[in-house]
Amino acid sequence: MTALTGTGPLLRLALRRDRITLPVWVYLLTASVASTTYSFKKLYGTAASRDQLAASLAGNGSLRALYGPLGDSSIGGITVWRIGVTGAALAAAMSILLVVRHTRAQEEDGRLELIGAGAVARPAPLTAALAAAALANGLLALLTTASLVALGQPLAGSLAFGCSLAVCGLVFAGVASVTAQLAETGRAANSLAGAALGLAYVLRAAADASTVHGPGALNWLSPIGWSEQVQPYGADRWWVLLLSLAVAGLLAGVAYTLVGRRDLGSGLLPQRPGPATAARTLRTPFALAVRLQRGTLAGWCAAFAVAGGVFGAIAKGIVDLVGGNRPVADVLRRMGGQHGVADAYLSSIMGVLGMLAAVYAVQCVLRLRAEETEGRAEPVLAGPVSRLSWAAGHLLFPLLGSAALLTCGGLAAGAAEHATLGDQAGSVAELLSGALVQLPAVWLTAAATVLLFGLAPRWTSAGWGVLAAFVLIGWLGPALQADQWVLDLSPFTHTPHLPGGTFAAQPLLWLTLLTATLTAAGLTGLRHRDLG
């Protein structure tokens, strides 16, 4: 038996299990890049307008912190400025989730113990997970390059940009392969790798905000900053890609070393045993759900507060940036309302927060399916607990947890916006209202996943596909000037555009009624189907 024995079948198994999730990730990233390029070709069709944009960005530290510096004023250059940092971070997140899912999470579920009973070498699962991550990032680089070239951008710069996204994903695949050896649970491994990604983003933002001309020195401490240092459509510094590949290889080597130094099912970090008996407050289905989901909710609330604060703080920069560019202002108004660029921008940001809250809501519903398939629901339901009580405990989180997220985001955005714009735009209360009116659309997205969980449990993960469709329509549809009937397919199209727009209760009531109907149908299916 060699170190690669069993890698091929495990790789095919990983690709089959992710046959929906991975294509969605790659498609969303590629579509974001292509739609951004297409939009900029229409909005900044002349060199003079692009030079004006570059001049506006040069003195705006908040926008440099969010998107990075604008290195080249060509269409490709401003595409890299707008989507480069976000794309690199999303490629990293995709790689983290993929590697942990097929290493630590699979080990936690007991699948690796069964697989290890066959002719499978100890490092084979890690090799298969890293190979799957390499295939996903390679496909992302290929499709991104092809889409940019199809839109008329130079081949060299397009290839450099596609590769800069892919190598960032590979570095964090290496990070996840290490954290999967350190932590004992998949959730802890994802948290450690996510913390590394957050630190990389903060270092890059601090470096870009501190310098006017080009990336700062701190960028060399961040894998996301290395993607910027490639400078696609500018210097096209290919050697920086080798730095990322070298670090990814080094991290993978560390992970292979750690695999042989621990027992199957255990992590290298010490674990604290829990109490022998549960507290009285932990003896209800709701208390158990709180115990399982409180950490995730706290992390999401903190992220929403930070994101809301950042988006609110750059409101003044957006107003200055738009300036006299009428096409850009028209798109922002179409996305957010009719009462000025600042209100339109803030309204569109509230929509983005609503879509992010929907990600949390779908994740909470999928926790029900995970509890079922991993065997933890069975002992709970063996006691005097009905299926509806068990499910209701978890479903309170997409219902109330998403409200908590939007409250945090709205309050933080309102406070930051008021500090920068004063009375020029909406107050804290108006932005809080703008965030909370997104709730019916968030609930409807979660209800679609509940329906799948109740009636077609094997397809519960297709809830991500439903969410992706809503996000594509709501996020990219206005920029692409899609027909109204297409925009109407997304529930986020029907929420009031606040601040700046007119509040209408009727669409919110219809969305809530549809949510209740889908949830009731899903719970009815749960009562009558077999578990497992």
Side-chain angles (χ1 to χ4, degrees):
M1 180 183 293
T2 68
L4 294 177
T5 301
T7 301
L10 288 177
L11 175 59
R12 289 194 293 273
L13 175 63
L15 295 178
R16 177 173 173 75
R17 291 184 65 198
D18 283 341
R19 62 188 182 279
I20 295 176
T21 308
L22 271 187
V24 168
W25 269 104
V26 174
Y27 175 75
L28 281 176
L29 283 167
T30 306
S32 298
V33 172
S35 62
T36 301
T37 307
Y38 178 77
S39 300
F40 280 140
K41 285 183 71 175
K42 298 184 68 173
L43 298 173
Y44 295 96
T46 64
S49 63
R50 295 194 294 272
D51 291 340
Q52 180 184 358
L53 173 67
S56 302
L57 290 173
N60 197 315
S62 57
L63 286 177
R64 287 200 310 276
L66 187 61
Y67 300 121
L70 177 57
D72 186 84
S73 61
S74 65
I75 293 295
I78 60 177
T79 299
V80 172
W81 163 75
R82 179 60 182 82
I83 202 71
V85 169
T86 305
L90 289 176
M94 173 186 72
S95 301
I96 290 171
L97 295 174
L98 190 154
V99 171
V100 172
R101 172 177 163 82
H102 296 294
T103 52
R104 171 52 63 183
Q106 194 163 235
E107 195 169 332
E108 182 183 1
D109 295 343
R111 291 192 181 96
L112 277 189
E113 189 173 0
L114 294 174
I115 292 171
V120 176
R122 183 68 186 275
L126 177 58
T127 306
L130 290 174
L135 286 174
N137 284 287
L139 183 62
L140 171 63
L142 181 64
L143 293 179
T144 300
T145 303
S147 63
L148 288 170
V149 171
L151 289 167
Q153 303 310 302
L155 174 61
S158 302
L159 183 60
F161 182 47
C163 291
S164 70
L165 299 181
V167 294
C168 186
L170 291 178
V171 170
F172 281 94
V175 171
S177 69
V178 173
T179 61
Q181 315 309 317
L182 298 177
E184 192 167 308
T185 65
R187 188 176 300 275
N190 278 327
S191 298
L192 289 174
L197 175 58
L199 178 62
Y201 190 92
V202 170
L203 285 174
R204 186 229 36 99
D208 289 340
S210 62
T211 57
V212 176
H213 303 291
L218 274 178
N219 253 315
W220 292 105
L221 299 178
S222 167
I224 299 177
W226 300 341
S227 294
E228 281 186 2
Q229 296 284 3
V230 175
Q231 299 181 12
Y233 302 106
D236 288 340
R237 297 196 288 183
W238 299 96
W239 63 269
V240 180
L241 299 175
L242 298 178
L243 172 63
S244 298
L245 291 174
V247 172
L250 178 64
L251 290 168
V254 171
Y256 280 114
T257 302
L258 296 179
V259 163
R261 297 188 177 182
R262 65 177 181 85
D263 294 330
L264 185 67
S266 65
L268 292 174
L269 294 178
Q271 297 293 313
R272 187 181 62 179
T277 58
R280 184 174 296 277
T281 55
L282 198 58
R283 297 177 183 177
T284 65
F286 175 71
L288 177 60
V290 170
R291 178 79 172 182
L292 292 173
Q293 305 221 32
R294 64 183 181 182
T296 303
L297 177 60
W300 274 89
C301 283
F304 261 66
V306 172
V310 170
F311 287 138
I314 66 171
K316 187 175 186 304
I318 291 294
V319 173
D320 296 339
L321 178 64
V322 170
N325 193 317
R326 191 175 187 82
V328 177
D330 287 344
V331 169
L332 282 173
R333 290 191 182 97
R334 192 179 180 200
M335 294 175 69
Q338 304 295 327
H339 294 81
V341 173
D343 279 353
Y345 161 73
L346 292 169
S347 174
S348 67
I349 288 304
M350 294 302 105
V352 171
L353 291 181
M355 295 174 193
L356 293 175
V359 174
Y360 166 80
V362 171
Q363 182 187 44
C364 288
V365 177
L366 290 177
R367 185 63 187 262
L368 273 171
R369 178 61 180 164
E371 292 293 302
E372 179 185 352
T373 57
E374 293 168 8
R376 289 191 290 270
E378 189 174 351
V380 174
L381 295 174
V385 177
S386 69
R387 294 187 182 188
L388 292 184
S389 298
W390 167 69
H394 287 275
L395 293 182
L396 282 177
F397 284 86
L399 180 69
L400 302 180
S402 55
L405 298 186
L406 290 171
T407 299
C408 291
L411 288 175
E417 174 271 340
H418 188 72
T420 55
L421 286 180
D423 295 332
Q424 294 182 30
S427 65
V428 174
E430 289 174 328
L431 279 176
L432 179 60
S433 301
L436 291 180
V437 295
Q438 306 295 325
L439 271 176
V442 175
W443 291 339
L444 179 59
T445 309
T449 311
V450 174
L451 182 69
L452 289 167
F453 172 65
L455 300 181
R458 290 188 176 183
W459 291 92
T460 308
S461 58
W464 289 123
V466 175
L467 172 61
F470 289 164
V471 170
L472 276 178
I473 294 171
W475 192 355
L476 301 179
L480 297 175
Q481 298 184 356
D483 293 338
Q484 188 59 43
W485 71 268
V486 177
L487 300 179
D488 288 342
L489 295 176
S490 170
F492 295 98
T493 303
H494 304 282
T495 56
H497 299 308
L498 300 177
T502 302
F503 177 80
Q506 186 176 8
L508 301 182
L509 293 176
W510 277 110
L511 290 174
T512 304
L513 179 62
L514 187 56
T515 296
T517 303
L518 295 179
T519 303
L523 293 178
T524 301
L526 174 64
R527 289 187 61 190
H528 293 91
R529 70 172 174 83
D530 294 332
L531 291 180

